[in-house]
Amino acid sequence: MEVVNLFKPFDIMYVEEETCPMGQHRNNFFELVYILKGTGMLHNNQHSFEYEPENLFLFMPQDTQYTRIKSKTAFLFIRFNGIYLEAQRTDNSYSNLGDWAKKLEYIFLNNHHFPGCILRNTDDKPIVRALVNALILEYPKEQSLRNEVVQQLVNTIITIVARNVSLVQPDKPVVNSEVSNEILNYIHQNIYYPEKLRSEKLAAKFNISQNYISEYVKKVTGESIQRYVTNYKLKLVETRLQYSDMRMSEIVEELGFTDESHLNRTFKKYTGYNPTDFRKKMWAERNYQPGMSG
């Protein structure tokens, strides 16, 4: 099986094809695929689904995928890797987008709830189509502030994706879905600020008694607030270990662990691996190419 790599942090590619140029393959990067025209069948891991114009798909690194084109198809590919994601967090030369990386992480950690086209809100389709058309016009140009314009266009697409992902919730008992979504979204948005996630702070924020909000979150998620926050943090740690070169000390500081020993103990209890061994395992799997024909 062919493994495709991205050798720069970020790339956009527009192509029109009548036959699929690539067989079964895996990408070592994140990819948004937008269909401007055409029809066909898209296969991703164990899922298969027909595509049509105005569909938008999100693929994770190491997803196994291939496409069968029925009618000539125009694709727009938005590709980015761990280096680009890290740039969003550190506010270096690749980034001026504020909390965009947090929106990305929200998407990645919730994308498993549904396969197929991301755009569940039909009102968003014309908006995304206009943004995609603007990207196609802007990206090839070499002019002043071109990178900033491209990043802002992509940022808007990502925000719309996050909104659509938030429409699909896991199958768990819901007492008051609107309030529960607000609480969980607040936790996700403030995961880097542990002082905002104490039960008394949440109770004050949502005007709910402290005792009740703890029980309420447990009814919705099946976990205590503390356990839910810890599990969400550990998912973020997994993302860092898989898709970035962040040092353990940087992960500790960013996510509010006491020290590296605290991170090691908590992560091993959750996964059965210490963080270093988990990273080695994930990177070995990423670079492994089984003897299959593409």
Side-chain angles (χ1 to χ4, degrees):
M1 183 188 302
E2 184 174 357
V3 176
V4 183
N5 295 290
L6 181 65
F7 296 104
K8 52 185 177 179
F10 176 76
D11 193 27
I12 293 176
M13 183 171 64
Y14 172 81
V15 298
E16 293 190 25
E17 299 286 352
E18 293 184 349
T19 59
C20 187
M22 183 177 294
Q24 191 177 60
H25 66 283
R26 290 185 293 144
N27 294 333
N28 275 342
F29 47 84
F30 304 94
E31 184 174 60
L32 283 168
V33 180
Y34 183 80
I35 310 298
L36 287 98
K37 67 178 182 180
T39 58
M41 185 72 70
L42 199 152
H43 303 265
N44 181 54
N45 297 329
Q46 73 273 28
H47 303 292
S48 298
F49 32 82
E50 294 185 354
Y51 67 76
E52 60 184 19
E54 298 189 344
N55 282 172
L56 178 66
F57 304 95
L58 171 65
F59 299 118
M60 302 290 284
Q62 306 310 310
D63 280 357
T64 298
Q65 57 178 283
Y66 64 95
T67 304
R68 293 290 181 261
I69 295 174
K70 292 181 181 178
S71 62
K72 186 176 182 179
T73 301
F75 302 92
L76 181 74
F77 299 96
I78 302 173
R79 296 167 169 174
F80 39 89
N81 59 22
I83 296 171
Y84 188 75
L85 297 185
E86 176 61 18
Q88 308 313 305
R89 285 189 289 271
T90 57
D91 195 30
N92 68 17
S93 59
Y94 287 111
S95 174
N96 61 355
L97 299 179
D99 66 348
W100 188 49
K102 296 175 186 177
K103 293 186 179 72
L104 286 172
E105 287 181 329
Y106 175 80
I107 293 167
F108 298 157
L109 294 177
N110 288 274
N111 185 51
H112 64 279
H113 294 319
F114 60 95
C117 179
I118 289 172
L119 298 177
R120 301 300 176 93
N121 183 356
T122 56
D123 291 341
D124 286 335
K125 289 189 174 183
I127 300 173
V128 173
R129 179 64 184 245
L131 292 166
V132 165
N133 287 336
L135 275 175
I136 292 170
L137 288 173
E138 185 69 27
Y139 189 68
K141 297 178 181 179
E142 294 295 338
Q143 61 181 345
S144 175
L145 297 178
R146 171 260 199 183
N147 288 341
E148 287 79 1
V149 171
V150 167
Q151 286 189 340
Q152 293 293 350
L153 290 169
V154 172
N155 181 34
T156 305
I157 293 174
I158 291 293
T159 303
I160 291 172
V161 170
R163 178 166 68 191
N164 280 263
V165 169
S166 70
L167 296 176
V168 181
Q169 298 297 322
D171 294 330
K172 292 182 180 178
V174 175
V175 178
N176 183 323
S177 59
E178 183 177 349
V179 176
S180 70
N181 290 342
E182 289 179 4
I183 294 173
L184 297 183
N185 287 337
Y186 180 83
I187 290 173
H188 299 158
Q189 293 165 7
N190 291 281
I191 197 70
Y192 302 93
Y193 310 104
E195 69 280 0
K196 294 184 177 182
L197 301 182
R198 295 197 297 268
S199 58
E200 64 270 21
K201 294 287 187 179
L202 288 170
K205 170 70 177 177
F206 292 97
N207 196 27
I208 298 173
S209 72
Q210 184 174 337
N211 291 336
Y212 183 71
I213 199 167
S214 299
E215 187 64 25
Y216 182 84
V217 170
K218 189 169 185 177
K219 285 181 179 179
V220 174
T221 67
E223 300 171 325
S224 66
I225 292 176
Q226 182 180 7
R227 174 49 54 190
Y228 184 82
V229 169
T230 298
N231 285 345
Y232 193 82
K233 277 189 178 183
L234 290 171
K235 289 179 182 178
L236 296 180
V237 173
E238 286 187 358
T239 302
R240 304 291 188 275
L241 296 174
Q242 287 182 262
Y243 307 127
S244 82
D245 296 320
M246 289 181 72
R247 296 187 295 271
M248 297 303 168
S249 59
E250 294 173 325
I251 297 174
V252 165
E253 181 178 359
E254 182 188 36
L255 292 172
F257 290 92
T258 305
D259 50 32
E260 289 188 39
S261 177
H262 179 212
L263 171 60
N264 289 340
R265 289 195 309 272
T266 307
F267 192 83
K268 187 168 185 178
K269 182 178 179 180
Y270 176 76
T271 66
Y273 295 92
N274 66 47
T276 300
D277 289 343
F278 180 84
R279 172 172 271 170
K280 289 178 180 177
K281 178 178 180 291
M282 292 297 101
W283 286 22
E285 291 178 358
R286 179 182 304 180
N287 295 321
Y288 173 64
Q289 301 185 32
M292 296 176 58
S293 59

